[in-house]
Amino acid sequence: AVVSTQSTGYQKIVDAEWSILYNKLDLMVASGAKIILSKLPIGDVATQYFADRDIFCAGRVTQEDLNRTVKACGGTILTTVNDIREADMGQCSLFEEVQIGNDRYNLFTGCPKAKTCTLILRGGADQFIDETERSLHDAIMIVRRALKNDSIVAGGGAIEMELSKELRNYAKTIHGKEQLLITAYAKALEIIPRQLCDNAGFDAITILNKLRQKHAQGAKWMGMDISSEDIADNFEACVWEPSIVKRNALTAACDACCTILSIDETVKNPNSNYKAPSAMPGMR
């Protein structure tokens, strides 16, 4: 640190600091940048300096947002303003600041390297937002899985009803107790469309009877249609699910059931039922 007792020396230090600041600002303006983002705070002088030259700046931007912006718009996160090249700057066709609700958002549109998008979820309560986020995440993961695996089946309970029909028909060809097991497995598969009906507020008995009839006639992709409150060909309606998801679900359910059935005995601690006396014998 430099300490000066003379006013002229102190003024030289202040002038040097302002000169360094304005030199850095001039270098950023000369680079041709129209949007400047910084992880550190940006002072009032720099903000007004950029505003006078029609340049947007934002400070205290998180590292995650900076990395996402670089991936979408291109460019490089710089640690110095010296030797700024055109390859170090990102591009976008439109930048705007929009107020949504009580918050303001900076939107980058038309990013050349963007492979993702940002979804803004709004709701009246946190539990609604959390439920919407979970539902959206499930839908995105299903689409991601479907893109990775080219084998799909119809959703809406269609595949479960078809498997149930095939198992019931197969159970009739088997004698012995195995027939009861296969029939119970077929009945358990109908829980999926039944639960879908209950969630949508439909009459599960009516819907399941219609599905059994259609699947018995060979319409293997018939499932629940929430829009018409009836049944429809979900494969034609583009209600699809990756077959690997169904396969994993059935495998996990079978493994859990086998684990429960393999428990032949439970060990109980006799001391857990022991109750200590409330008082000495003979005393009240």
Side-chain angles (χ1 to χ4, degrees):
V2 180
V3 180
S4 176
T5 57
Q6 300 179 359
S7 59
T8 56
Y10 174 76
Q11 187 62 39
K12 290 181 179 180
I13 296 174
V14 174
D15 293 341
E17 290 180 348
W18 284 107
S19 177
I20 294 173
L21 173 62
Y22 280 109
N23 286 337
K24 291 183 177 180
L25 296 177
D26 291 337
L27 289 174
M28 286 186 279
V29 173
S31 66
K34 292 298 182 181
I35 303 171
I36 297 175
L37 305 178
S38 173
K39 186 170 65 174
L40 300 177
I42 299 178
D44 295 337
V45 175
T47 301
Q48 186 62 44
Y49 186 90
F50 290 136
D52 293 340
R53 291 155 179 80
D54 196 22
I55 298 176
F56 175 85
C57 66
R60 294 188 177 93
V61 181
T62 62
Q63 186 67 39
E64 181 182 2
D65 289 340
L66 286 176
N67 293 335
R68 293 180 60 192
T69 305
V70 169
K71 288 183 179 180
C73 301
T76 309
I77 299 178
L78 302 176
T79 58
T80 178
V81 297
N82 297 322
D83 192 21
I84 300 178
R85 299 170 300 174
E86 186 176 355
D88 296 329
M89 293 187 291
Q91 297 178 355
C92 69
S93 60
L94 177 63
F95 173 81
E96 55 184 343
E97 188 176 13
V98 180
Q99 182 166 352
I100 303 176
N102 296 327
D103 300 322
R104 297 186 68 85
Y105 295 89
N106 300 323
L107 305 183
F108 294 83
T109 308
C111 303
K113 296 185 178 181
K115 297 182 180 180
T116 60
C117 64
T118 301
L119 301 178
I120 300 176
L121 306 180
R122 300 180 60 202
D126 292 338
Q127 56 267 29
F128 297 150
I129 297 296
D130 295 338
E131 184 63 29
T132 303
E133 183 180 1
R134 283 192 293 268
S135 300
L136 185 61
H137 179 269
D138 293 342
I140 293 175
M141 290 298 104
I142 287 292
V143 174
R144 175 176 174 269
R145 180 66 66 179
L147 292 175
K148 287 189 174 183
N149 300 271
D150 55 357
S151 177
I152 58 175
V153 294
I159 187 62
E160 287 82 7
M161 293 300 298
E162 182 65 19
L163 290 175
S164 178
K165 183 203 74 172
E166 294 294 336
L167 288 176
R168 289 181 190 273
N169 294 336
Y170 177 69
K172 296 176 183 179
T173 64
I174 298 178
H175 63 85
K177 295 181 180 179
E178 290 82 0
Q179 182 181 135
L180 299 176
L181 296 175
I182 298 175
T183 304
Y185 197 107
K187 183 178 180 180
L189 288 172
E190 294 185 354
I191 295 178
I192 300 299
R194 183 184 299 274
Q195 189 62 46
L196 291 176
C197 293
D198 293 339
N199 293 344
F202 301 159
D203 186 0
I205 297 177
T206 303
I207 297 296
L208 287 178
N209 287 337
K210 290 182 178 180
L211 289 176
R212 292 192 190 101
Q213 178 194 16
K214 291 296 184 181
H215 281 268
Q217 295 174 355
K220 62 180 181 179
W221 299 129
M222 295 298 291
M224 226 187 78
D225 185 5
I226 297 179
S227 301
S228 62
E229 299 185 10
D230 202 351
I231 63 175
D233 189 336
N234 283 344
F235 203 89
E236 294 293 335
C238 298
V239 182
W240 301 334
E241 293 187 61
S243 58
I244 189 174
V245 174
K246 291 298 182 182
R247 189 180 300 113
N248 292 339
L250 293 175
T251 302
C254 291
D255 292 342
C257 183
C258 292
T259 302
I260 295 174
L261 293 176
S262 64
I263 300 175
D264 56 353
E265 185 179 357
T266 58
V267 179
K268 189 175 183 180
N269 185 8
N271 293 331
S272 61
N273 295 328
Y274 175 75
K275 295 183 180 180
S278 58
M280 294 295 292
M283 296 181 61
R284 296 183 178 178

